[in-house]
Amino acid sequence: MLQEEGSARVKDLSLAFSVSEATVRQDLERLEAEGTIEREHGGAFLKSLPQQVQAMALHHLVNMDRKQKIGRFAASLVSDGETIIIDSGSTTTEVANNLIGHQNLNVLTNGLNIALTLGQCRRSLSHAWWPF
């Protein structure tokens, strides 16, 4: 959740993973000690988002082979200089991964990981918007 969203609240993590808030706090303490996150009152956020995106291991690995195939195909339909909208999600993350190398794309996305993935390849994007 932290890798995909950039931040998370203790209460949300507790509900999402069906564990106590105390367990979440202990896990966040460990991640903070490793230097991965910074804790804040009620939650935490990634310390270095671009580096985390590069090394991101998606938690939604179900059907990953299909998602990668869809990502390759969808990216093949995009031409240099086009404007596209990419929603957040694990399949659309694969689309973004396959857009690296395209030239002068205008990308609108609500996915922070997608924006950071494409934003690291400055020549790929002419503009990027993140409407939240």
Side-chain angles (χ1 to χ4, degrees):
M1 188 179 285
L2 282 165
Q3 288 176 327
E4 290 187 13
E5 301 297 328
S7 66
R9 304 208 38 84
V10 170
K11 186 175 185 174
D12 296 335
L13 292 168
S14 174
L15 291 171
F17 297 106
S18 300
V19 298
S20 70
E21 290 185 16
T23 298
V24 171
R25 285 187 195 94
Q26 289 173 351
D27 291 342
L28 293 177
E29 285 175 16
R30 183 181 53 80
L31 291 171
E32 184 176 42
E34 293 173 0
T36 305
I37 66 165
E38 288 197 29
R39 293 179 63 210
E40 60 181 22
H41 180 72
F45 59 93
L46 291 176
K47 200 170 191 175
S48 177
L49 288 172
Q51 291 168 345
Q52 291 299 322
V53 170
Q54 272 185 332
M56 182 170 53
L58 293 173
H59 293 279
H60 306 289
L61 295 176
V62 176
N63 296 315
M64 185 51 76
D65 57 330
R66 292 178 180 170
K67 293 175 184 184
Q68 290 170 335
K69 186 176 182 179
I70 291 167
R72 283 190 298 272
F73 179 73
S76 75
L77 300 173
V78 177
S79 298
D80 291 346
E82 288 189 322
T83 299
I84 60 172
I85 299 171
I86 303 178
D87 199 3
S88 62
S90 55
T91 304
T92 53
T93 298
E94 292 304 313
V95 174
N97 288 336
N98 285 280
L99 287 173
I100 294 172
H102 279 66
Q103 301 291 311
N104 300 315
L105 294 177
N106 293 300
V107 178
L108 288 86
T109 186
N110 62 348
L112 181 59
N113 63 321
I114 292 169
L116 291 171
T117 295
L118 293 174
Q120 290 180 13
C121 301
R122 303 222 188 279
R123 66 180 180 192
S124 295
L125 296 176
S126 59
H127 295 85
W129 296 272
W130 301 277
F132 291 100

